Amino acid sequence: KMNTLHWHAVDADSFPLELAAFPELAEKGAFSPKGRYSVAQQEQIVEYARQRGVRVLLETDLPGHSTAWSISHPELYTTCPSRGKGNFGGFQRVIDPTLSATWNFLDKFFAELAGRFPDRYIHLGGDEVSVDCFNASSSVRQWVAAQPNASLSDVYVYFETQVHTLAAKHNLSVQTWHNAFAAVQAAGKTLPKDAIAHVWMPT
């Protein structure tokens, strides 16, 4: 595995990747202007790795661990109930997969990353999602009410299954932490055969 750079580029507390389609993500979500990776720097990292036989596996964690994204796009997010320190000085947010705007946003997001990072896989995290956060969204509550015997956990599963379909549109396969696979399996559903589960703790 020494030929793979798993670049966990963004997380709940910072979004340092500058994007042409969404410059506001890094402008508002990075720690500071100096704490960003420009488009040119991202391309340099990929090329430096390629010349040395190293693949760059980019991780952009969703639907949880993404509070930093919400600083510029709060309309796509639902705010979690207060639970201590959390992210950004006391709050956490989770992206709302029941909004069509979420999928339009992610479509453009994947389109740009697929053009810059040539690896077949993109790592989408998917771990440690507090599903109770979804309940703060009226759109989620309507979605759950419209599904037979649905719960908030099904919203998480819906995101995980749909995001694979969207990634495939851009010729990307998805790797996630094992939590997403466990949730999908518990719901009696499956992910594509080329999906990869990344285990970070004993199961």
Side-chain angles (χ1 to χ4, degrees):
K1 295 182 180 179
M2 295 299 290
N3 70 330
T4 299
L5 170 63
H6 176 185
W7 187 5
H8 194 145
V10 304
D11 210 305
D13 294 304
S14 181
F15 193 107
L17 286 183
E18 292 187 356
L19 300 177
F22 303 106
E24 67 278 6
L25 284 169
E27 288 172 0
K28 296 183 178 181
F31 284 124
S32 71
K34 292 183 178 180
R36 303 178 192 167
Y37 294 96
S38 68
V39 171
Q41 287 172 326
Q42 295 168 48
E43 292 172 341
Q44 289 168 5
I45 290 170
V46 170
E47 178 60 16
Y48 185 91
R50 185 195 67 80
Q51 292 179 7
R52 291 157 178 79
V54 175
R55 56 188 286 256
V56 178
L57 174 65
L58 184 72
E59 180 176 350
T60 59
D61 211 335
L62 287 169
H65 285 283
S66 59
T67 303
W69 307 47
S70 73
I71 305 304
S72 57
H73 287 276
E75 74 281 1
L76 303 180
Y77 279 77
T78 178
T79 301
C80 304
S82 178
R83 48 168 60 84
K85 184 176 180 181
N87 308 121
F88 283 94
F91 72 91
Q92 297 179 48
R93 289 177 177 154
V94 176
I95 201 166
D96 187 340
T98 65
L99 299 174
S100 58
T102 293
W103 298 103
N104 292 335
F105 169 83
L106 291 177
D107 191 21
K108 295 176 183 177
F109 180 78
F110 287 145
E112 178 165 345
L113 293 184
R116 186 171 308 137
F117 293 88
D119 198 82
R120 174 187 171 189
Y121 280 88
I122 185 169
H123 199 306
L124 294 180
D127 61 318
E128 299 178 327
V129 178
S130 299
V131 297
D132 59 313
C133 299
F134 290 127
N135 199 47
S137 164
S138 59
S139 176
V140 166
R141 294 194 299 271
Q142 292 173 11
W143 185 91
V144 170
Q147 314 300 316
N149 304 313
S151 68
L152 293 177
S153 294
D154 292 304
V155 181
Y156 173 31
V157 171
Y158 173 69
F159 176 85
E160 293 300 334
T161 54
Q162 291 299 111
V163 80
H164 283 259
T165 300
L166 182 58
K169 173 184 174 182
H170 299 284
N171 298 314
L172 291 169
S173 297
V174 176
Q175 181 170 335
T176 62
W177 299 105
H178 69 276
N179 311 67
F181 278 75
V184 170
Q185 184 179 41
K189 299 183 182 298
T190 58
L191 293 175
K193 291 183 178 180
D194 61 352
I196 293 179
H198 191 169
V199 179
W200 65 272
M201 62 178 291
T203 57

